[in-house]
Amino acid sequence: MSSATYRTLLRTPGAAAFFLTAAVGRVGIAMTSLGIVWLVHGQTDSYADAGLVTGGCAVAEALAGPQVARLIDHFGQTRVLPPALLAHAASVVTLLTLVAGGSPSWLMTAGGVLVGATIPQLGALSAARWSALLRVDLSAGLPTAFALESLSNALGYLVGPALVSTIGAGGHPALGTVLAAVLVVVGGLAFAAQHSTAPPPVSAFAERTRARGSLLRLGFAVLVVHNLAIGVYFGAMQVSVTAFAVEHGAPDAAAPLFAVSSCSGLLAGWLYGLRRWRAKPRVQLAAATAGLALGSLLLLFAAGSPLGLGFVTVLTGAAVPPILVLFSVLAESAVHQAVLTQAFTWLNSASAAGAAGAAAISGWAVDASGATGGFAAATTAAATMAVLAAAGIRARYGPQRQFARQEPTRP
């Protein structure tokens, strides 16, 4: 195996341009929520207010994202994305003004809602472009392309939060939010400028109706539940690992624990994308989720030391990237090509909703039973995915390639 597979993929005409510009915007997206925390706390000295504004941003992003994606599937990326980015820039300026002016928390929260409602889902847009670009032979490069997307997303969430935290700790809490918006807008506009690789919109009403119907099929609904569960897993792990480190008198150990898990995931995702797997995606998903569930069980017995927990998080971190790639592969085959952006965005929203709910659930579990209670919530989510994946091995996820191969009608 070598990285030639990725290099070959990026040599596809137009691929490198849209992938790299989306990657720039993704770093900004990864900085946005934490940037708002630094911004609001720096002005109000209140984590409660910062959490309220950030929560409003996250909820708005989860709810508005699929609606914006619907417009993009209808009118096209190059027509909808630029005004959406301008609206996002205006929303960030509004939030900065409200925070600097000492506005009440409800008004700052409204500003956070505007920011979340207008932030673009560049990951979903990039994934939709890969599908359109590789439509002639989907089996040849699409899993590798989605693995590349997963790596880009993971790197964004490694670099972005670290960058905004460094800026905030340096005494410039507003600068992180400004830089995040600049990266999102500049990267997004450069992405939108790549007209040649943009999927054509579907203008015919009958075709759009048929396409939207594929979002209601059982197979795609199961994938949404999968993403909800993995969101719960992510949210529970964030709270539980932090609580574990505090319980052991080493709060500074939380950051290295998250880092080794992320690095393990990056390596596993890179290796996964290099290989052509003979097993069907449904079988791979069952194996990967079973591995995550078994690894998560070890969390319940890793209470001895941060070193033991670090070993377990390396194992569980390695299982996550293939799962995320397979979610995208199965979603691509389950829905009509004309609603791919909506499909990918719904999966992202489900994951975000699961992570938000898990913060409350695992927080209660940690208060009741310590870090082990939070790990139990993460293990339950992983086991749920494993059961769903095992049950779906013989099930069809949807219309499969009859939709994926269909060329949407240009207006």
Side-chain angles (χ1 to χ4, degrees), residues 85-95 114-115 118 185:
L85 290 165
L86 293 178
H88 179 66
S91 299
V92 172
V93 171
T94 300
L95 178 60
L114 289 176
V115 172
T118 55
V185 173

Side-chain angles (χ1 to χ4, degrees), residues 64-65 67-69 71-72 76-92 114-122 125 181 184-186 188-189 192:
Q67 313 314 317
V68 176
L71 292 175
I72 289 173
Q77 294 183 3
T78 57
R79 292 177 62 184
V80 176
L81 190 53
L85 290 165
L86 293 178
H88 179 66
S91 299
V92 172
L114 289 176
V115 172
T118 55
I119 198 165
Q121 300 293 324
L122 292 178
L125 301 184
V184 170
V185 173
V186 172
L189 288 175

Side-chain angles (χ1 to χ4, degrees), residues 3 18 32 39 72 135 194 207 240 309 322 332 375 394 398:
S3 58
F18 79 73
T32 299
L39 170 68
I72 289 173
R135 189 176 301 150
Q194 312 301 317
E207 186 72 4
S240 304
L309 180 62
E332 195 279 337
F375 289 138
R394 294 185 178 278

Side-chain angles (χ1 to χ4, degrees), residues 31 146 194 215 320 363:
M31 295 171 64
F146 288 152
Q194 312 301 317
L215 292 172
V320 169

Side-chain angles (χ1 to χ4, degrees), residues 94-199:
T94 300
L95 178 60
L96 289 167
T97 303
L98 291 172
V99 173
S103 302
S105 59
W106 69 267
L107 198 54
M108 290 190 293
T109 301
V113 168
L114 289 176
V115 172
T118 55
I119 198 165
Q121 300 293 324
L122 292 178
L125 301 184
S126 185
R129 290 201 181 203
W130 280 118
S131 181
L133 200 62
L134 304 175
R135 189 176 301 150
V136 175
D137 188 0
L138 291 169
S139 62
L142 199 56
T144 303
F146 288 152
L148 196 60
E149 288 291 306
S150 178
L151 290 172
S152 174
N153 193 61
L155 283 172
Y157 277 90
L158 271 179
V159 174
L163 181 58
V164 78
S165 295
T166 301
I167 293 172
H172 306 284
L175 183 58
T177 298
V178 173
L179 180 59
V182 169
L183 291 175
V184 170
V185 173
V186 172
L189 288 175
F191 177 87
Q194 312 301 317
H195 293 270
S196 63
T197 53

Side-chain angles (χ1 to χ4, degrees), residues 222-297:
V222 171
L223 287 173
V224 171
V225 175
H226 268 296
N227 277 265
L228 184 67
I230 204 166
V232 171
Y233 175 84
F234 289 148
M237 286 296 290
Q238 288 178 346
V239 174
S240 304
V241 170
T242 302
F244 179 94
V246 172
E247 284 179 4
H248 285 75
D252 292 341
L257 286 170
F258 287 127
V260 296
S261 177
S262 297
C263 290
S264 170
L266 283 171
L267 179 60
W270 177 69
L271 293 174
Y272 176 82
L274 290 176
R275 181 170 179 175
R276 300 289 174 83
W277 299 89
R278 294 183 179 180
K280 293 181 178 180
R282 294 190 294 275
V283 176
Q284 294 180 50
L285 182 62
T289 52
L292 180 62
L294 291 173
S296 298
L297 282 173

